[in-house]
Amino acid sequence: MNIIFLGPPGAGKGTQAQKICAALNIPQISTGDILRRAMKDGTETGLKAKSYIEAGKLVPDEVIIDIVKERLAMDDCRNGYILDGFPRTVPQAEALDTIAKIDHVIELAVDDQVLVERLSGRRVCVKCGATYHLSMLGGKTNCAVCGEELIQRKDDSAETVLARLEVYHAQTAPLIGYYEKKGLLQRIDGAQGMDNTYAAILNALGVQA
Ligand code: AP5
Ligand code: MG
């Protein structure tokens, strides 16, 4: 099953993609994670992406399309995948149409106000990428999975979060109509608890919990 997770920053794409990928035994392809790794490793792509990410803007389509083409050609994508954070513009969606057949587009819908609160409290593990919210950590500062230190993403600062939301509404939200027209879009309320959201996604995919 080839699946797209669409939704604004903080909607829970990463949180849910990790769980659904584990349940279906398919890879999670997060373009945000790929770019952050490239930045950490100081690669050419990472250097190109840094200023865009830190300003809350999208990196240029041609950069990201090449990354995704290369990733989808890998062996582990043969039985399906979840695209988490791609496509994010109409040209990206059109490029994807030329290389993949998408089965489901899951839109996670959450109000902006809730998103700002979620992102300002998000903490992520620098090593394994596990995601938490301050409200669930009870003062702990290390990852429950691997023990590594938890950090706040640089682009989760209040100012950058607002810029990312603006970019979402202007450049990514048009994809809702794009996939609706193709009959692929399923909208899920992402403001319910994590377990209810998970169950709703499995149901939309036609998978037994
Ligand atoms: P990316 O890393 O993809 O960021 P994003 O889309 O802004 O989304 P986030 O990762 O911030 O949110 P999420 O939906 O994954 O939420 P999460 O599960 O963590 O991209 C970063 C940057 O890279 C972009 O700004 C851009 O510059 C660049 N980029 C990436 N892809 C690109 C592309 N295709 N084209 C161009 N540029 C690209 O959850 C958030 C918080 O909420 C957590 O604390 C979590 O614990 C909590 N939470 C989750 N679900 C729930 C729930 N149901 N109830 C309560 N809390 C919840
Ligand atoms: Mg994410």
Side-chain angles (χ1 to χ4, degrees):
M1 221 176 331
N2 300 338
I3 304 163
I4 292 173
F5 275 11
L6 186 65
K13 301 182 298 295
T15 301
Q16 295 297 335
Q18 275 187 6
K19 291 181 67 164
I20 303 278
C21 282
L24 301 183
N25 197 22
I26 54 176
Q28 171 193 5
I29 301 176
S30 159
T31 41
D33 286 348
I34 293 171
L35 293 169
R36 280 184 289 279
R37 203 170 314 125
M39 276 163 57
K40 200 167 162 218
D41 294 344
T43 66
E44 201 182 316
T45 303
L47 293 174
K48 263 191 221 162
K50 192 172 189 293
S51 61
Y52 295 99
I53 292 186
E54 290 183 354
K57 294 182 179 153
L58 297 182
V59 307
D61 285 338
E62 60 274 15
V63 174
I64 206 82
I65 289 168
D66 281 351
I67 289 175
V68 172
K69 275 188 181 165
E70 210 175 289
R71 182 64 188 88
L72 293 187
M74 290 183 185
D75 276 355
D76 64 339
C77 291
R78 274 200 204 145
N79 296 324
Y81 44 79
I82 293 181
L83 284 165
D84 159 10
F86 182 93
R88 253 170 151 105
T89 63
V90 171
Q92 289 182 19
E94 288 169 346
L96 182 64
D97 284 342
T98 68
I99 54 166
K101 189 194 160 296
I102 298 300
D103 301 300
H104 295 273
V105 178
I106 302 292
E107 181 205 349
L108 288 175
V110 181
D111 285 346
D112 283 9
Q113 240 180 326
V114 176
L115 297 171
V116 171
E117 197 281 319
R118 282 189 186 178
L119 292 174
S120 60
R122 174 166 59 184
R123 296 294 180 271
V124 293
C125 174
V126 280
K127 191 171 168 199
C128 75
T131 300
Y132 304 87
H133 189 272
L134 281 180
S135 60
M136 59 164 87
L137 284 169
K140 292 195 190 88
T141 56
N142 288 77
C143 179
V145 179
C146 72
E148 194 55 63
E149 184 198 359
L150 299 177
I151 57 144
Q152 181 168 31
R153 263 169 54 175
K154 233 179 175 175
D155 62 345
D156 280 348
S157 68
E159 194 186 331
T160 312
V161 164
L162 294 179
R164 287 162 60 202
L165 284 171
E166 256 180 52
V167 165
Y168 174 78
H169 291 297
Q171 293 179 262
T172 307
L175 293 181
I176 295 169
Y178 183 92
Y179 286 115
E180 236 163 14
K181 273 196 204 127
K182 289 180 182 282
L184 291 175
L185 191 92
Q186 287 165 289
R187 171 178 281 212
I188 304 281
D189 174 10
Q192 39 186 336
M194 289 185 198
D195 291 345
N196 288 343
T197 307
Y198 176 65
I201 297 172
L202 284 181
N203 187 41
L205 298 175
V207 175
Q208 293 284 325

